[in-house]
Amino acid sequence: MKLLSSLVALAFLISCQPKNTSDYQADLIIYGGTSAAITAAVQAKTMGKSVIVVSPDTHLGGLSSGGLGFTDTGNKSVIGGLAREFYHRIYQHYQQDSAWKWQKKEDYGNKGQGTIAMDGENRTMWIFEPHVAEQVFEDFVVENNLEIHRDERLDRQSGVIKENGEITQIQTLSGKTYRGKVFIDATYEGDLMAAAGVSYHVGRESNATYGEEWNGVQVGVYQHRHYFQNNISPYVIPDDSTSGLLPEISSEPPGQNGEGDNRLQAYTYRLAMSRHPDNRIPFPKPDNYDPARYELLARVYAAGWDETFEKYDPIPNLKTDTNNHGPFSTDYIGKNYAYPEATYEQREEILKDHTEYQQGLLYYMSHDENVPDPVRAEMANWGLAKDEFVDNNNWPHQIYVREARRMVGAYVMTEHDVLGDKEVPEPVGMGSYSLDSHNTQRFVTKEGFVQNEGDIGVHPKNPYSISYGTLVPKKEECTNLLVPVCVSSSHTAFGSIRMEPVFMILGQSAAAAASLAIDNDIPVQEVKYAELKQLLLGEGQVLSQQD
């Protein structure tokens, strides 16, 4: 009897012990802090699912809150659901007089991409300041009581546990574990997808892979103005090949047109810059600043190029979302190839290199005598916005990962789908932007001049549907994972899909599918499309041009 009493007492004590605070469980585990991650979490909560967002970042929203305020939208009529709600809330914010601190609302030009920025008829706004976007995401978190675990990086070596083709648990570097019924990888890099053993591709496929025209190497294709329009020498001493190449030029041959390679379209930071004297700080001079690094730009200027400020796109309050423009600009061409597969430490070095390049470029354009006087005079009116990214020295907290890993899943979107040459099965959202790739390399032509390669801009005739199969792996590889950002697509198709509104759309659709898979205890590949379609249409998603 005494032994029995002791055992009962021990059992009672064990039951009263606090739960291990490093172990978490929910119906749906979302890895990532991007815009897709947040829309996915909101959708799952509305369907009654428990959700934990495991974010490797502190700030939520990815590029949507990280500087990309001049939204790449394409045809706005196909943006529905929570994505449209996001842009509606942006509109509501800028209807308040308090939103216009540095500029009068009536003085704002209302310029957007192909349309007005502030659409009163549809009560949406597509152009915004980074901190406003971040607040909208944080409002989503509070209103939906979302559980967000920030600064939690996946243990990519041994942190993903699978049993019988399912992910059962992931672990972060801090030692926290997360068990779920379904998982979503909403990162730009596809780290969870890769660690789960799902097939993916990095770089450009050959045109032969999917019978495409615009994939692979594209030497001599100039569909934007991001190329050298004059014959400019790439050598330290002009026209003397024995003097060595200038910085930022590759010594490797570009390859044959149409063949695949591991090159990625360039990354950049989308800067929030201000021209209000009370809300700008001078461009910082990086520690390793070397003006010789920008000699190629000096030669571009000397040849007569004068388009420096054509992509200083206006956002409210006398700010700009500054994007790459021209042959030598903020895109750091050829320096990101290793990023997708790199360790966290290696990625930090790559990001530091990108930061120093771009900060050095701004300082050079502001100070160096080789820069034309009118450019330096205009640069004097600009600086980093003092009220943006205040915890990161006013520098964006998210680099523009235009492309990293891309899943090879149940269905691969190609340029044939995007350009309307075939019917897309089981649509879960729509896109409409051009096949858009920035340059992937800067090389020396056979004539001995410098040139860029990789820039593509082919416009679809109409908006196109995106298949559910692009969100799910092959069934034999994983049955409880969805991937709404690093979707299953070719390089050319991803160039159109990779827009922030589309990521929000696909995040919501992925979570709806995940919830149905949980309800029916089935693999994500077996979700009944008719049921998913009805659900998505009820949530305001636009799935095809007939909707």
Side-chain angles (χ1 to χ4, degrees):
M1 181 64 71
K2 188 173 181 180
L3 177 60
L4 180 59
S5 298
S6 298
L7 290 174
V8 170
L10 179 61
F12 177 77
L13 286 172
I14 292 174
S15 68
C16 292
Q17 292 298 310
K19 180 183 177 181
N20 188 335
T21 55
S22 294
D23 297 330
Y24 300 89
Q25 187 167 343
D27 294 325
L28 179 63
I29 304 297
I30 300 170
Y31 183 60
T34 61
S35 59
I38 303 307
T39 57
V42 171
Q43 179 62 36
K45 283 299 289 280
T46 63
M47 295 180 69
K49 301 298 176 285
S50 58
V51 185
I52 300 176
V53 176
V54 183
S55 173
D57 309 303
T58 301
H59 297 274
L60 302 180
L63 257 297
S64 286
S65 61
L68 207 168
F70 198 77
T71 307
D72 297 318
T73 52
N75 188 321
K76 297 169 179 60
S77 67
V78 304
I79 300 173
L82 288 170
R84 198 166 194 87
E85 172 66 15
F86 171 84
Y87 296 106
H88 172 60
R89 292 188 179 210
I90 296 291
Y91 173 86
Q92 289 180 311
H93 171 82
Y94 285 108
Q95 294 306 300
Q96 305 172 78
D97 291 339
S98 60
W100 300 91
K101 181 177 181 181
W102 305 108
Q103 178 183 37
K104 293 181 180 179
K105 181 180 177 182
E106 56 268 27
D107 292 338
Y108 175 60
N110 209 23
K111 173 190 173 185
Q113 282 209 44
T115 185
I116 57 175
M118 190 181 307
D119 185 347
E121 180 180 352
N122 293 295
R123 296 178 61 79
T124 51
M125 186 163 177
W126 310 94
I127 312 299
F128 46 85
E129 299 160 276
H131 76 270
V132 174
E134 185 169 3
Q135 186 58 56
V136 172
F137 289 116
E138 293 292 352
D139 289 344
F140 279 145
V141 170
V142 173
E143 293 166 15
N144 295 277
N145 195 27
L146 300 180
E147 184 175 351
I148 312 289
H149 293 204
R150 305 174 196 245
D151 289 320
E152 291 292 342
R153 290 181 171 182
L154 177 69
D155 179 348
R156 292 159 55 193
Q157 300 302 314
S158 57
V160 178
I161 306 300
K162 289 176 66 178
E163 295 178 7
N164 300 318
E166 286 189 351
I167 302 171
T168 59
Q169 173 182 297
I170 65 172
Q171 182 171 322
T172 59
L173 293 178
S174 70
K176 293 178 181 177
T177 60
Y178 300 89
R179 299 182 66 85
K181 297 176 182 176
V182 174
F183 293 77
I184 290 179
D185 184 341
T187 64
Y188 292 119
E189 295 84 4
D191 283 343
L192 174 56
M193 169 189 73
V198 170
S199 298
Y200 61 87
H201 190 88
V202 176
R204 301 182 288 189
E205 299 92 348
S206 70
N207 273 328
T209 303
Y210 298 114
E212 296 176 298
E213 181 179 359
W214 302 109
N215 213 330
V217 176
Q218 299 286 321
V219 172
V221 177
Y222 309 124
Q223 295 177 335
H224 295 107
R225 294 178 65 81
H226 309 318
Y227 64 98
F228 292 86
Q229 299 168 43
N230 303 98
N231 292 334
I232 293 178
S233 175
Y235 303 112
V236 174
I237 300 174
D239 304 321
D240 181 0
S241 61
T242 65
S243 64
L245 291 172
L246 289 173
E248 321 310 342
I249 301 175
S250 172
S251 61
E252 297 295 319
Q256 298 298 313
N257 277 17
E259 70 180 10
D261 58 24
N262 67 345
R263 299 181 177 106
L264 297 170
Q265 56 178 312
Y267 296 173
T268 188
Y269 285 96
R270 295 289 286 255
L271 300 180
M273 292 165 31
S274 171
R275 59 186 176 92
H276 194 289
D278 295 331
N279 191 40
R280 68 179 185 227
I281 62 172
F283 297 118
K285 182 180 181 180
D287 292 338
N288 297 321
Y289 175 70
D290 180 4
R293 192 174 192 181
Y294 308 101
E295 167 63 20
L296 191 55
L297 178 59
R299 295 183 187 182
V300 171
Y301 280 133
W305 186 79
D306 62 354
E307 301 175 17
T308 299
F309 301 103
E310 289 198 9
K311 284 302 291 178
Y312 278 44
D313 293 314
I315 61 177
N317 283 308
L318 296 179
K319 297 177 188 175
T320 177
D321 165 10
T322 307
N323 195 10
N324 177 83
H325 182 73
F328 190 104
S329 185
T330 57
D331 276 3
Y332 194 26
I333 299 173
K335 306 306 173 85
N336 59 342
Y337 302 156
Y339 180 85
E341 304 281 27
T343 65
Y344 293 126
E345 294 77 15
Q346 290 168 339
R347 284 181 185 170
E348 290 299 324
E349 288 300 313
I350 293 170
L351 297 181
K352 180 181 178 183
D353 189 28
H354 277 70
T355 299
E356 290 182 346
Y357 164 78
Q358 201 163 341
Q359 289 182 345
L361 175 64
L362 293 169
Y363 190 85
Y364 179 85
M365 293 169 63
S366 305
H367 293 83
D368 200 280
E369 293 183 354
N370 287 315
V371 175
D373 290 342
V375 174
R376 280 188 288 148
E378 177 62 20
M379 288 296 291
N381 295 321
W382 292 97
L384 298 181
K386 190 183 296 185
D387 61 350
E388 300 289 353
F389 315 119
V390 294
D391 63 347
N392 196 41
N393 296 317
N394 309 105
W395 194 258
H397 44 71
Q398 174 66 59
I399 198 169
Y400 197 168
V401 179
R402 290 191 172 100
E403 190 171 1
R405 300 182 180 97
R406 301 187 312 280
M407 181 169 64
V408 180
Y411 185 88
V412 180
M413 289 280 291
T414 69
E415 65 185 49
H416 304 297
D417 300 283
V418 173
L419 297 179
D421 296 334
K422 58 186 293 192
E423 184 176 349
V424 177
E426 301 186 339
V428 291
M430 296 193 74
S432 62
Y433 207 76
S434 63
L435 304 173
D436 183 53
S437 173
H438 282 233
N439 282 305
T440 65
Q441 59 179 323
R442 179 174 291 139
F443 67 100
V444 180
T445 69
K446 61 183 180 181
E447 294 82 13
F449 302 113
V450 62
Q451 194 51 268
N452 297 333
E453 183 275 321
D455 180 84
I456 297 296
V458 181
H459 293 274
K461 298 182 182 69
N462 298 294
Y464 59 90
S465 296
I466 301 171
S467 174
Y468 176 60
T470 66
L471 307 185
V472 296
K474 298 170 185 175
K475 189 175 180 181
E476 63 269 22
E477 293 183 347
C478 190
T479 58
N480 68 336
L481 175 68
L482 294 108
V483 184
V485 177
C486 295
V487 296
S488 177
S489 65
S490 70
H491 161 73
T492 48
F494 192 75
S496 176
I497 294 170
R498 66 179 181 85
M499 304 304 157
E500 286 292 301
V502 178
F503 287 156
M504 292 188 217
I505 291 167
L506 297 182
Q508 181 178 7
S509 294
S515 298
L516 292 178
I518 291 169
D519 288 342
N520 295 288
D521 192 24
I522 56 174
V524 294
Q525 293 85 356
E526 295 181 13
V527 169
K528 293 181 179 178
Y529 178 69
E531 187 177 357
L532 177 60
K533 178 181 178 180
Q534 182 179 10
L535 172 60
L536 294 178
L537 291 175
E539 296 289 348
Q541 294 277 52
V542 182
L543 308 183
S544 69
Q545 289 193 286
Q546 287 71 49
D547 295 334

